[in-house]
Amino acid sequence: MTSLTVRSSGLVQRRTEASRNAADKDRPSGQEDLEPRRGDEVDDDDTGDSKETRLTLMEEVLLLGLKDREVICKSDAPTGDVLLDEALKHIKDTQPPETVQSWIELLSGETWNPLKLHYQLRNVRERLAKNLVEKGVLTTEKQNFLLFDMTTHPLTNNNIKQRLIKKVQEAVLDKWVNDPHRMDKRLLALIFLAHSSDVLENAFAPLLDDQYDLAMKRVRQLLELEPEGESMKANTNELLWAVVAAFTK
């Protein structure tokens, strides 16, 4: 079996049971193993989230990096999130409407069209980090790198991160329903976005080897779905599958 060593940098290192036993032999008699064992994660329910610590999808992805359809704003009511409201304003004010694929490229700054560079959302990562600081998940520090100082945002509330990791793990293990249309749409979107940002595997690193393999197998099942076909099924969210198509093309 494997276990985890959580380093101060936030990186997770897999350890084998044999190496852990060897380390136990070198420990003085009577000294307890302070390293968390598997299954000792914080037992916090999602229902325990307060309004102050409720995270957006982009914040959760940061905390863990179809056929084209036109995007039309059905409501211009503010969401309360500055980044989302900024993106919605661009979408609402743009005529003729752009496609989902186009908006992802425009808002992320991946377009080479000089007439549309103003659509790019500026400093997204830093702004998301500051949101997490305000919610008490991260803190702000200055680190010196020889010739310059850099602002960093270390994790300060590990309970929220562990609760997020547990939620993602359960979605493809204990609470797996083998049907994307029966999954919570927000959680399904989180899995796709986390994979596209190369941070999904971070949520699976603490798992035992057999659990890890099963989790990755089920994620591959989701990634192999045909977004256009899924978008035509009853009671589906067409916009979600349009975004999935844009990220998995």
Side-chain angles (χ1 to χ4, degrees), residues 167-204:
K167 179 171 65 175
V168 174
Q169 290 175 351
E170 288 181 340
V172 293
L173 292 175
D174 298 342
K175 296 183 179 179
W176 175 249
V177 293
N178 201 30
D179 181 355
H181 299 280
R182 292 171 55 202
M183 294 180 66
D184 176 79
K185 291 181 176 59
R186 190 179 188 283
L187 186 53
L188 180 62
L190 174 61
I191 291 174
F192 279 117
L193 291 175
H195 174 268
S196 297
S197 303
D198 293 326
V199 298
L200 182 59
E201 191 170 348
N202 294 349
F204 299 149

PDB file of all heavy atoms in Angstrom, residues 167-204:
ATOM      1  N   LYS A 167     -14.616  15.397  -2.028  1.00  0.00           N
ATOM      2  CA  LYS A 167     -15.787  15.473  -2.894  1.00  0.00           C
ATOM      3  C   LYS A 167     -15.473  14.948  -4.293  1.00  0.00           C
ATOM      4  O   LYS A 167     -16.271  14.210  -4.887  1.00  0.00           O
ATOM      5  CB  LYS A 167     -16.270  16.926  -2.965  1.00  0.00           C
ATOM      6  CG  LYS A 167     -17.479  17.146  -3.849  1.00  0.00           C
ATOM      7  CD  LYS A 167     -18.033  18.553  -3.693  1.00  0.00           C
ATOM      8  CE  LYS A 167     -17.052  19.594  -4.179  1.00  0.00           C
ATOM      9  NZ  LYS A 167     -17.636  20.971  -4.135  1.00  0.00           N
ATOM     10  N   VAL A 168     -14.307  15.308  -4.827  1.00  0.00           N
ATOM     11  CA  VAL A 168     -13.912  14.852  -6.158  1.00  0.00           C
ATOM     12  C   VAL A 168     -13.662  13.342  -6.153  1.00  0.00           C
ATOM     13  O   VAL A 168     -14.078  12.622  -7.065  1.00  0.00           O
ATOM     14  CB  VAL A 168     -12.663  15.607  -6.643  1.00  0.00           C
ATOM     15  CG1 VAL A 168     -12.163  15.035  -7.964  1.00  0.00           C
ATOM     16  CG2 VAL A 168     -12.962  17.093  -6.790  1.00  0.00           C
ATOM     17  N   GLN A 169     -12.989  12.851  -5.108  1.00  0.00           N
ATOM     18  CA  GLN A 169     -12.718  11.423  -5.004  1.00  0.00           C
ATOM     19  C   GLN A 169     -14.014  10.618  -4.949  1.00  0.00           C
ATOM     20  O   GLN A 169     -14.180   9.611  -5.650  1.00  0.00           O
ATOM     21  CB  GLN A 169     -11.877  11.136  -3.769  1.00  0.00           C
ATOM     22  CG  GLN A 169     -10.445  11.642  -3.849  1.00  0.00           C
ATOM     23  CD  GLN A 169      -9.698  11.435  -2.556  1.00  0.00           C
ATOM     24  OE1 GLN A 169     -10.283  11.061  -1.533  1.00  0.00           O
ATOM     25  NE2 GLN A 169      -8.394  11.681  -2.558  1.00  0.00           N
ATOM     26  N   GLU A 170     -14.952  11.050  -4.122  1.00  0.00           N
ATOM     27  CA  GLU A 170     -16.205  10.315  -3.954  1.00  0.00           C
ATOM     28  C   GLU A 170     -17.024  10.284  -5.241  1.00  0.00           C
ATOM     29  O   GLU A 170     -17.740   9.321  -5.514  1.00  0.00           O
ATOM     30  CB  GLU A 170     -17.031  10.934  -2.833  1.00  0.00           C
ATOM     31  CG  GLU A 170     -16.473  10.674  -1.441  1.00  0.00           C
ATOM     32  CD  GLU A 170     -17.326  11.293  -0.351  1.00  0.00           C
ATOM     33  OE1 GLU A 170     -18.109  12.214  -0.672  1.00  0.00           O
ATOM     34  OE2 GLU A 170     -17.200  10.873   0.815  1.00  0.00           O
ATOM     35  N   ALA A 171     -16.897  11.346  -6.057  1.00  0.00           N
ATOM     36  CA  ALA A 171     -17.671  11.412  -7.293  1.00  0.00           C
ATOM     37  C   ALA A 171     -17.333  10.278  -8.249  1.00  0.00           C
ATOM     38  O   ALA A 171     -18.200   9.824  -9.014  1.00  0.00           O
ATOM     39  CB  ALA A 171     -17.434  12.754  -7.980  1.00  0.00           C
ATOM     40  N   VAL A 172     -16.083   9.790  -8.216  1.00  0.00           N
ATOM     41  CA  VAL A 172     -15.673   8.715  -9.126  1.00  0.00           C
ATOM     42  C   VAL A 172     -15.406   7.406  -8.388  1.00  0.00           C
ATOM     43  O   VAL A 172     -14.963   6.432  -9.006  1.00  0.00           O
ATOM     44  CB  VAL A 172     -14.425   9.136  -9.935  1.00  0.00           C
ATOM     45  CG1 VAL A 172     -14.767  10.272 -10.893  1.00  0.00           C
ATOM     46  CG2 VAL A 172     -13.291   9.542  -9.013  1.00  0.00           C
ATOM     47  N   LEU A 173     -15.700   7.362  -7.087  1.00  0.00           N
ATOM     48  CA  LEU A 173     -15.517   6.130  -6.313  1.00  0.00           C
ATOM     49  C   LEU A 173     -16.814   5.747  -5.607  1.00  0.00           C
ATOM     50  O   LEU A 173     -17.688   5.145  -6.214  1.00  0.00           O
ATOM     51  CB  LEU A 173     -14.363   6.296  -5.322  1.00  0.00           C
ATOM     52  CG  LEU A 173     -12.962   6.422  -5.951  1.00  0.00           C
ATOM     53  CD1 LEU A 173     -11.916   6.713  -4.889  1.00  0.00           C
ATOM     54  CD2 LEU A 173     -12.590   5.146  -6.711  1.00  0.00           C
ATOM     55  N   ASP A 174     -16.968   6.114  -4.359  1.00  0.00           N
ATOM     56  CA  ASP A 174     -18.123   5.677  -3.573  1.00  0.00           C
ATOM     57  C   ASP A 174     -19.460   6.151  -4.139  1.00  0.00           C
ATOM     58  O   ASP A 174     -20.469   5.466  -3.999  1.00  0.00           O
ATOM     59  CB  ASP A 174     -17.991   6.165  -2.121  1.00  0.00           C
ATOM     60  CG  ASP A 174     -16.775   5.578  -1.427  1.00  0.00           C
ATOM     61  OD1 ASP A 174     -16.251   4.558  -1.926  1.00  0.00           O
ATOM     62  OD2 ASP A 174     -16.337   6.139  -0.408  1.00  0.00           O
ATOM     63  N   LYS A 175     -19.486   7.343  -4.737  1.00  0.00           N
ATOM     64  CA  LYS A 175     -20.748   7.904  -5.232  1.00  0.00           C
ATOM     65  C   LYS A 175     -20.830   7.873  -6.759  1.00  0.00           C
ATOM     66  O   LYS A 175     -21.624   8.601  -7.359  1.00  0.00           O
ATOM     67  CB  LYS A 175     -20.914   9.337  -4.728  1.00  0.00           C
ATOM     68  CG  LYS A 175     -21.023   9.426  -3.206  1.00  0.00           C
ATOM     69  CD  LYS A 175     -21.249  10.860  -2.742  1.00  0.00           C
ATOM     70  CE  LYS A 175     -21.371  10.924  -1.218  1.00  0.00           C
ATOM     71  NZ  LYS A 175     -21.575  12.322  -0.740  1.00  0.00           N
ATOM     72  N   TRP A 176     -20.043   7.033  -7.381  1.00  0.00           N
ATOM     73  CA  TRP A 176     -20.049   6.904  -8.843  1.00  0.00           C
ATOM     74  C   TRP A 176     -21.386   6.349  -9.313  1.00  0.00           C
ATOM     75  O   TRP A 176     -21.867   5.335  -8.808  1.00  0.00           O
ATOM     76  CB  TRP A 176     -18.919   5.996  -9.276  1.00  0.00           C
ATOM     77  CG  TRP A 176     -18.864   5.659 -10.738  1.00  0.00           C
ATOM     78  CD1 TRP A 176     -19.107   4.449 -11.312  1.00  0.00           C
ATOM     79  CD2 TRP A 176     -18.524   6.548 -11.814  1.00  0.00           C
ATOM     80  NE1 TRP A 176     -18.936   4.519 -12.666  1.00  0.00           N
ATOM     81  CE2 TRP A 176     -18.576   5.800 -13.006  1.00  0.00           C
ATOM     82  CE3 TRP A 176     -18.178   7.900 -11.872  1.00  0.00           C
ATOM     83  CZ2 TRP A 176     -18.308   6.349 -14.243  1.00  0.00           C
ATOM     84  CZ3 TRP A 176     -17.908   8.458 -13.113  1.00  0.00           C
ATOM     85  CH2 TRP A 176     -17.973   7.683 -14.282  1.00  0.00           C
ATOM     86  N   VAL A 177     -22.008   6.997 -10.303  1.00  0.00           N
ATOM     87  CA  VAL A 177     -23.327   6.591 -10.782  1.00  0.00           C
ATOM     88  C   VAL A 177     -23.280   6.051 -12.213  1.00  0.00           C
ATOM     89  O   VAL A 177     -24.310   5.619 -12.742  1.00  0.00           O
ATOM     90  CB  VAL A 177     -24.315   7.770 -10.715  1.00  0.00           C
ATOM     91  CG1 VAL A 177     -24.578   8.153  -9.272  1.00  0.00           C
ATOM     92  CG2 VAL A 177     -23.804   8.975 -11.509  1.00  0.00           C
ATOM     93  N   ASN A 178     -22.118   6.092 -12.849  1.00  0.00           N
ATOM     94  CA  ASN A 178     -21.926   5.520 -14.183  1.00  0.00           C
ATOM     95  C   ASN A 178     -22.851   6.147 -15.232  1.00  0.00           C
ATOM     96  O   ASN A 178     -23.226   5.505 -16.204  1.00  0.00           O
ATOM     97  CB  ASN A 178     -22.138   4.003 -14.161  1.00  0.00           C
ATOM     98  CG  ASN A 178     -21.474   3.323 -15.348  1.00  0.00           C
ATOM     99  OD1 ASN A 178     -20.467   3.799 -15.851  1.00  0.00           O
ATOM    100  ND2 ASN A 178     -22.034   2.212 -15.795  1.00  0.00           N
ATOM    101  N   ASP A 179     -23.246   7.385 -15.004  1.00  0.00           N
ATOM    102  CA  ASP A 179     -24.095   8.100 -15.953  1.00  0.00           C
ATOM    103  C   ASP A 179     -23.864   9.597 -15.731  1.00  0.00           C
ATOM    104  O   ASP A 179     -24.280  10.137 -14.703  1.00  0.00           O
ATOM    105  CB  ASP A 179     -25.565   7.757 -15.746  1.00  0.00           C
ATOM    106  CG  ASP A 179     -26.474   8.467 -16.740  1.00  0.00           C
ATOM    107  OD1 ASP A 179     -25.972   9.297 -17.527  1.00  0.00           O
ATOM    108  OD2 ASP A 179     -27.691   8.197 -16.730  1.00  0.00           O
ATOM    109  N   PRO A 180     -23.212  10.271 -16.662  1.00  0.00           N
ATOM    110  CA  PRO A 180     -22.902  11.687 -16.449  1.00  0.00           C
ATOM    111  C   PRO A 180     -24.138  12.553 -16.251  1.00  0.00           C
ATOM    112  O   PRO A 180     -24.069  13.603 -15.619  1.00  0.00           O
ATOM    113  CB  PRO A 180     -22.140  12.083 -17.719  1.00  0.00           C
ATOM    114  CG  PRO A 180     -22.542  11.079 -18.739  1.00  0.00           C
ATOM    115  CD  PRO A 180     -22.757   9.801 -17.987  1.00  0.00           C
ATOM    116  N   HIS A 181     -25.281  12.115 -16.785  1.00  0.00           N
ATOM    117  CA  HIS A 181     -26.499  12.911 -16.678  1.00  0.00           C
ATOM    118  C   HIS A 181     -27.169  12.760 -15.311  1.00  0.00           C
ATOM    119  O   HIS A 181     -28.089  13.508 -14.990  1.00  0.00           O
ATOM    120  CB  HIS A 181     -27.466  12.536 -17.795  1.00  0.00           C
ATOM    121  CG  HIS A 181     -26.895  12.786 -19.155  1.00  0.00           C
ATOM    122  ND1 HIS A 181     -26.867  14.033 -19.750  1.00  0.00           N
ATOM    123  CD2 HIS A 181     -26.271  11.949 -20.034  1.00  0.00           C
ATOM    124  CE1 HIS A 181     -26.275  13.955 -20.932  1.00  0.00           C
ATOM    125  NE2 HIS A 181     -25.903  12.704 -21.123  1.00  0.00           N
ATOM    126  N   ARG A 182     -26.695  11.810 -14.521  1.00  0.00           N
ATOM    127  CA  ARG A 182     -27.182  11.672 -13.148  1.00  0.00           C
ATOM    128  C   ARG A 182     -26.211  12.281 -12.141  1.00  0.00           C
ATOM    129  O   ARG A 182     -26.520  12.364 -10.960  1.00  0.00           O
ATOM    130  CB  ARG A 182     -27.401  10.185 -12.817  1.00  0.00           C
ATOM    131  CG  ARG A 182     -28.552   9.534 -13.600  1.00  0.00           C
ATOM    132  CD  ARG A 182     -28.555   8.035 -13.375  1.00  0.00           C
ATOM    133  NE  ARG A 182     -28.609   7.710 -11.954  1.00  0.00           N
ATOM    134  CZ  ARG A 182     -28.206   6.545 -11.440  1.00  0.00           C
ATOM    135  NH1 ARG A 182     -27.691   5.618 -12.240  1.00  0.00           N
ATOM    136  NH2 ARG A 182     -28.297   6.318 -10.149  1.00  0.00           N
ATOM    137  N   MET A 183     -25.065  12.711 -12.626  1.00  0.00           N
ATOM    138  CA  MET A 183     -24.092  13.352 -11.752  1.00  0.00           C
ATOM    139  C   MET A 183     -24.479  14.808 -11.516  1.00  0.00           C
ATOM    140  O   MET A 183     -25.154  15.428 -12.335  1.00  0.00           O
ATOM    141  CB  MET A 183     -22.685  13.293 -12.369  1.00  0.00           C
ATOM    142  CG  MET A 183     -22.097  11.912 -12.487  1.00  0.00           C
ATOM    143  SD  MET A 183     -20.433  11.928 -13.228  1.00  0.00           S
ATOM    144  CE  MET A 183     -19.505  12.800 -11.954  1.00  0.00           C
ATOM    145  N   ASP A 184     -24.043  15.338 -10.389  1.00  0.00           N
ATOM    146  CA  ASP A 184     -24.222  16.756 -10.138  1.00  0.00           C
ATOM    147  C   ASP A 184     -23.496  17.530 -11.233  1.00  0.00           C
ATOM    148  O   ASP A 184     -22.303  17.311 -11.479  1.00  0.00           O
ATOM    149  CB  ASP A 184     -23.648  17.116  -8.761  1.00  0.00           C
ATOM    150  CG  ASP A 184     -23.716  18.592  -8.477  1.00  0.00           C
ATOM    151  OD1 ASP A 184     -24.799  19.064  -8.106  1.00  0.00           O
ATOM    152  OD2 ASP A 184     -22.686  19.267  -8.630  1.00  0.00           O
ATOM    153  N   LYS A 185     -24.205  18.433 -11.921  1.00  0.00           N
ATOM    154  CA  LYS A 185     -23.630  19.114 -13.086  1.00  0.00           C
ATOM    155  C   LYS A 185     -22.426  19.968 -12.708  1.00  0.00           C
ATOM    156  O   LYS A 185     -21.461  20.081 -13.466  1.00  0.00           O
ATOM    157  CB  LYS A 185     -24.702  19.959 -13.773  1.00  0.00           C
ATOM    158  CG  LYS A 185     -25.788  19.134 -14.462  1.00  0.00           C
ATOM    159  CD  LYS A 185     -26.801  20.017 -15.153  1.00  0.00           C
ATOM    160  CE  LYS A 185     -27.824  19.175 -15.926  1.00  0.00           C
ATOM    161  NZ  LYS A 185     -28.556  18.250 -15.037  1.00  0.00           N
ATOM    162  N   ARG A 186     -22.475  20.582 -11.549  1.00  0.00           N
ATOM    163  CA  ARG A 186     -21.358  21.420 -11.136  1.00  0.00           C
ATOM    164  C   ARG A 186     -20.113  20.572 -10.866  1.00  0.00           C
ATOM    165  O   ARG A 186     -19.003  20.939 -11.234  1.00  0.00           O
ATOM    166  CB  ARG A 186     -21.735  22.209  -9.888  1.00  0.00           C
ATOM    167  CG  ARG A 186     -20.733  23.289  -9.513  1.00  0.00           C
ATOM    168  CD  ARG A 186     -21.199  24.039  -8.270  1.00  0.00           C
ATOM    169  NE  ARG A 186     -20.354  25.190  -8.004  1.00  0.00           N
ATOM    170  CZ  ARG A 186     -19.156  25.133  -7.456  1.00  0.00           C
ATOM    171  NH1 ARG A 186     -18.651  23.947  -7.107  1.00  0.00           N
ATOM    172  NH2 ARG A 186     -18.455  26.220  -7.252  1.00  0.00           N
ATOM    173  N   LEU A 187     -20.320  19.406 -10.245  1.00  0.00           N
ATOM    174  CA  LEU A 187     -19.209  18.521  -9.954  1.00  0.00           C
ATOM    175  C   LEU A 187     -18.649  17.914 -11.237  1.00  0.00           C
ATOM    176  O   LEU A 187     -17.435  17.765 -11.395  1.00  0.00           O
ATOM    177  CB  LEU A 187     -19.664  17.415  -8.994  1.00  0.00           C
ATOM    178  CG  LEU A 187     -18.588  16.465  -8.465  1.00  0.00           C
ATOM    179  CD1 LEU A 187     -17.441  17.248  -7.841  1.00  0.00           C
ATOM    180  CD2 LEU A 187     -19.199  15.513  -7.450  1.00  0.00           C
ATOM    181  N   LEU A 188     -19.534  17.598 -12.176  1.00  0.00           N
ATOM    182  CA  LEU A 188     -19.094  17.077 -13.469  1.00  0.00           C
ATOM    183  C   LEU A 188     -18.249  18.120 -14.196  1.00  0.00           C
ATOM    184  O   LEU A 188     -17.183  17.807 -14.753  1.00  0.00           O
ATOM    185  CB  LEU A 188     -20.312  16.704 -14.316  1.00  0.00           C
ATOM    186  CG  LEU A 188     -20.027  16.133 -15.714  1.00  0.00           C
ATOM    187  CD1 LEU A 188     -19.256  14.827 -15.631  1.00  0.00           C
ATOM    188  CD2 LEU A 188     -21.343  15.932 -16.481  1.00  0.00           C
ATOM    189  N   ALA A 189     -18.699  19.373 -14.168  1.00  0.00           N
ATOM    190  CA  ALA A 189     -17.929  20.454 -14.795  1.00  0.00           C
ATOM    191  C   ALA A 189     -16.573  20.616 -14.121  1.00  0.00           C
ATOM    192  O   ALA A 189     -15.556  20.838 -14.789  1.00  0.00           O
ATOM    193  CB  ALA A 189     -18.722  21.760 -14.719  1.00  0.00           C
ATOM    194  N   LEU A 190     -16.543  20.493 -12.793  1.00  0.00           N
ATOM    195  CA  LEU A 190     -15.290  20.615 -12.056  1.00  0.00           C
ATOM    196  C   LEU A 190     -14.292  19.544 -12.499  1.00  0.00           C
ATOM    197  O   LEU A 190     -13.099  19.827 -12.686  1.00  0.00           O
ATOM    198  CB  LEU A 190     -15.553  20.508 -10.553  1.00  0.00           C
ATOM    199  CG  LEU A 190     -14.314  20.465  -9.656  1.00  0.00           C
ATOM    200  CD1 LEU A 190     -13.482  21.728  -9.814  1.00  0.00           C
ATOM    201  CD2 LEU A 190     -14.729  20.273  -8.195  1.00  0.00           C
ATOM    202  N   ILE A 191     -14.754  18.318 -12.680  1.00  0.00           N
ATOM    203  CA  ILE A 191     -13.870  17.224 -13.092  1.00  0.00           C
ATOM    204  C   ILE A 191     -13.272  17.508 -14.466  1.00  0.00           C
ATOM    205  O   ILE A 191     -12.067  17.354 -14.691  1.00  0.00           O
ATOM    206  CB  ILE A 191     -14.630  15.888 -13.081  1.00  0.00           C
ATOM    207  CG1 ILE A 191     -14.951  15.479 -11.633  1.00  0.00           C
ATOM    208  CG2 ILE A 191     -13.821  14.793 -13.778  1.00  0.00           C
ATOM    209  CD1 ILE A 191     -15.818  14.245 -11.521  1.00  0.00           C
ATOM    210  N   PHE A 192     -14.107  17.936 -15.409  1.00  0.00           N
ATOM    211  CA  PHE A 192     -13.615  18.241 -16.751  1.00  0.00           C
ATOM    212  C   PHE A 192     -12.624  19.406 -16.732  1.00  0.00           C
ATOM    213  O   PHE A 192     -11.564  19.356 -17.370  1.00  0.00           O
ATOM    214  CB  PHE A 192     -14.780  18.564 -17.684  1.00  0.00           C
ATOM    215  CG  PHE A 192     -15.486  17.355 -18.237  1.00  0.00           C
ATOM    216  CD1 PHE A 192     -16.808  17.091 -17.949  1.00  0.00           C
ATOM    217  CD2 PHE A 192     -14.807  16.464 -19.061  1.00  0.00           C
ATOM    218  CE1 PHE A 192     -17.463  15.979 -18.462  1.00  0.00           C
ATOM    219  CE2 PHE A 192     -15.440  15.340 -19.584  1.00  0.00           C
ATOM    220  CZ  PHE A 192     -16.774  15.100 -19.280  1.00  0.00           C
ATOM    221  N   LEU A 193     -12.962  20.468 -16.010  1.00  0.00           N
ATOM    222  CA  LEU A 193     -12.096  21.647 -15.975  1.00  0.00           C
ATOM    223  C   LEU A 193     -10.790  21.352 -15.255  1.00  0.00           C
ATOM    224  O   LEU A 193      -9.723  21.824 -15.662  1.00  0.00           O
ATOM    225  CB  LEU A 193     -12.827  22.803 -15.299  1.00  0.00           C
ATOM    226  CG  LEU A 193     -14.001  23.404 -16.081  1.00  0.00           C
ATOM    227  CD1 LEU A 193     -14.706  24.469 -15.243  1.00  0.00           C
ATOM    228  CD2 LEU A 193     -13.535  23.999 -17.404  1.00  0.00           C
ATOM    229  N   ALA A 194     -10.867  20.582 -14.158  1.00  0.00           N
ATOM    230  CA  ALA A 194      -9.653  20.230 -13.421  1.00  0.00           C
ATOM    231  C   ALA A 194      -8.730  19.384 -14.285  1.00  0.00           C
ATOM    232  O   ALA A 194      -7.505  19.541 -14.255  1.00  0.00           O
ATOM    233  CB  ALA A 194     -10.013  19.493 -12.135  1.00  0.00           C
ATOM    234  N   HIS A 195      -9.305  18.475 -15.071  1.00  0.00           N
ATOM    235  CA  HIS A 195      -8.486  17.656 -15.978  1.00  0.00           C
ATOM    236  C   HIS A 195      -7.822  18.528 -17.026  1.00  0.00           C
ATOM    237  O   HIS A 195      -6.617  18.382 -17.310  1.00  0.00           O
ATOM    238  CB  HIS A 195      -9.353  16.590 -16.649  1.00  0.00           C
ATOM    239  CG  HIS A 195      -8.619  15.807 -17.696  1.00  0.00           C
ATOM    240  ND1 HIS A 195      -8.613  16.174 -19.029  1.00  0.00           N
ATOM    241  CD2 HIS A 195      -7.834  14.697 -17.606  1.00  0.00           C
ATOM    242  CE1 HIS A 195      -7.873  15.318 -19.713  1.00  0.00           C
ATOM    243  NE2 HIS A 195      -7.388  14.422 -18.880  1.00  0.00           N
ATOM    244  N   SER A 196      -8.589  19.462 -17.619  1.00  0.00           N
ATOM    245  CA  SER A 196      -8.037  20.334 -18.650  1.00  0.00           C
ATOM    246  C   SER A 196      -6.946  21.237 -18.101  1.00  0.00           C
ATOM    247  O   SER A 196      -6.060  21.663 -18.847  1.00  0.00           O
ATOM    248  CB  SER A 196      -9.158  21.187 -19.261  1.00  0.00           C
ATOM    249  OG  SER A 196     -10.122  20.370 -19.900  1.00  0.00           O
ATOM    250  N   SER A 197      -6.988  21.515 -16.801  1.00  0.00           N
ATOM    251  CA  SER A 197      -5.987  22.364 -16.161  1.00  0.00           C
ATOM    252  C   SER A 197      -4.844  21.563 -15.562  1.00  0.00           C
ATOM    253  O   SER A 197      -3.974  22.124 -14.888  1.00  0.00           O
ATOM    254  CB  SER A 197      -6.650  23.204 -15.059  1.00  0.00           C
ATOM    255  OG  SER A 197      -7.709  23.982 -15.569  1.00  0.00           O
ATOM    256  N   ASP A 198      -4.852  20.244 -15.775  1.00  0.00           N
ATOM    257  CA  ASP A 198      -3.788  19.351 -15.278  1.00  0.00           C
ATOM    258  C   ASP A 198      -3.659  19.373 -13.757  1.00  0.00           C
ATOM    259  O   ASP A 198      -2.553  19.292 -13.214  1.00  0.00           O
ATOM    260  CB  ASP A 198      -2.434  19.707 -15.907  1.00  0.00           C
ATOM    261  CG  ASP A 198      -2.402  19.419 -17.405  1.00  0.00           C
ATOM    262  OD1 ASP A 198      -3.037  18.443 -17.826  1.00  0.00           O
ATOM    263  OD2 ASP A 198      -1.752  20.176 -18.140  1.00  0.00           O
ATOM    264  N   VAL A 199      -4.792  19.506 -13.047  1.00  0.00           N
ATOM    265  CA  VAL A 199      -4.747  19.482 -11.590  1.00  0.00           C
ATOM    266  C   VAL A 199      -5.619  18.383 -11.004  1.00  0.00           C
ATOM    267  O   VAL A 199      -5.641  18.189  -9.785  1.00  0.00           O
ATOM    268  CB  VAL A 199      -5.179  20.847 -10.991  1.00  0.00           C
ATOM    269  CG1 VAL A 199      -4.233  21.942 -11.414  1.00  0.00           C
ATOM    270  CG2 VAL A 199      -6.611  21.188 -11.374  1.00  0.00           C
ATOM    271  N   LEU A 200      -6.331  17.645 -11.854  1.00  0.00           N
ATOM    272  CA  LEU A 200      -7.238  16.624 -11.346  1.00  0.00           C
ATOM    273  C   LEU A 200      -6.498  15.511 -10.623  1.00  0.00           C
ATOM    274  O   LEU A 200      -6.956  15.001  -9.595  1.00  0.00           O
ATOM    275  CB  LEU A 200      -8.072  16.036 -12.490  1.00  0.00           C
ATOM    276  CG  LEU A 200      -9.107  14.975 -12.095  1.00  0.00           C
ATOM    277  CD1 LEU A 200     -10.097  15.539 -11.085  1.00  0.00           C
ATOM    278  CD2 LEU A 200      -9.845  14.458 -13.328  1.00  0.00           C
ATOM    279  N   GLU A 201      -5.336  15.127 -11.136  1.00  0.00           N
ATOM    280  CA  GLU A 201      -4.586  14.029 -10.524  1.00  0.00           C
ATOM    281  C   GLU A 201      -4.147  14.363  -9.101  1.00  0.00           C
ATOM    282  O   GLU A 201      -3.934  13.464  -8.284  1.00  0.00           O
ATOM    283  CB  GLU A 201      -3.381  13.665 -11.377  1.00  0.00           C
ATOM    284  CG  GLU A 201      -2.712  12.365 -10.946  1.00  0.00           C
ATOM    285  CD  GLU A 201      -1.674  11.879 -11.941  1.00  0.00           C
ATOM    286  OE1 GLU A 201      -1.634  12.420 -13.060  1.00  0.00           O
ATOM    287  OE2 GLU A 201      -0.923  10.957 -11.588  1.00  0.00           O
ATOM    288  N   ASN A 202      -4.043  15.653  -8.782  1.00  0.00           N
ATOM    289  CA  ASN A 202      -3.694  16.040  -7.421  1.00  0.00           C
ATOM    290  C   ASN A 202      -4.727  15.555  -6.410  1.00  0.00           C
ATOM    291  O   ASN A 202      -4.402  15.260  -5.264  1.00  0.00           O
ATOM    292  CB  ASN A 202      -3.573  17.566  -7.316  1.00  0.00           C
ATOM    293  CG  ASN A 202      -2.409  18.107  -8.124  1.00  0.00           C
ATOM    294  OD1 ASN A 202      -1.573  17.338  -8.596  1.00  0.00           O
ATOM    295  ND2 ASN A 202      -2.346  19.408  -8.290  1.00  0.00           N
ATOM    296  N   ALA A 203      -5.982  15.486  -6.841  1.00  0.00           N
ATOM    297  CA  ALA A 203      -7.040  15.020  -5.944  1.00  0.00           C
ATOM    298  C   ALA A 203      -6.980  13.522  -5.729  1.00  0.00           C
ATOM    299  O   ALA A 203      -7.487  13.007  -4.726  1.00  0.00           O
ATOM    300  CB  ALA A 203      -8.411  15.402  -6.514  1.00  0.00           C
ATOM    301  N   PHE A 204      -6.354  12.806  -6.663  1.00  0.00           N
ATOM    302  CA  PHE A 204      -6.295  11.347  -6.565  1.00  0.00           C
ATOM    303  C   PHE A 204      -4.985  10.839  -5.968  1.00  0.00           C
ATOM    304  O   PHE A 204      -4.861   9.653  -5.663  1.00  0.00           O
ATOM    305  CB  PHE A 204      -6.478  10.724  -7.954  1.00  0.00           C
ATOM    306  CG  PHE A 204      -7.800  11.051  -8.593  1.00  0.00           C
ATOM    307  CD1 PHE A 204      -7.928  11.152  -9.968  1.00  0.00           C
ATOM    308  CD2 PHE A 204      -8.922  11.284  -7.810  1.00  0.00           C
ATOM    309  CE1 PHE A 204      -9.141  11.458 -10.553  1.00  0.00           C
ATOM    310  CE2 PHE A 204     -10.154  11.598  -8.391  1.00  0.00           C
ATOM    311  CZ  PHE A 204     -10.258  11.682  -9.767  1.00  0.00           C
TER     312      PHE A 204
END
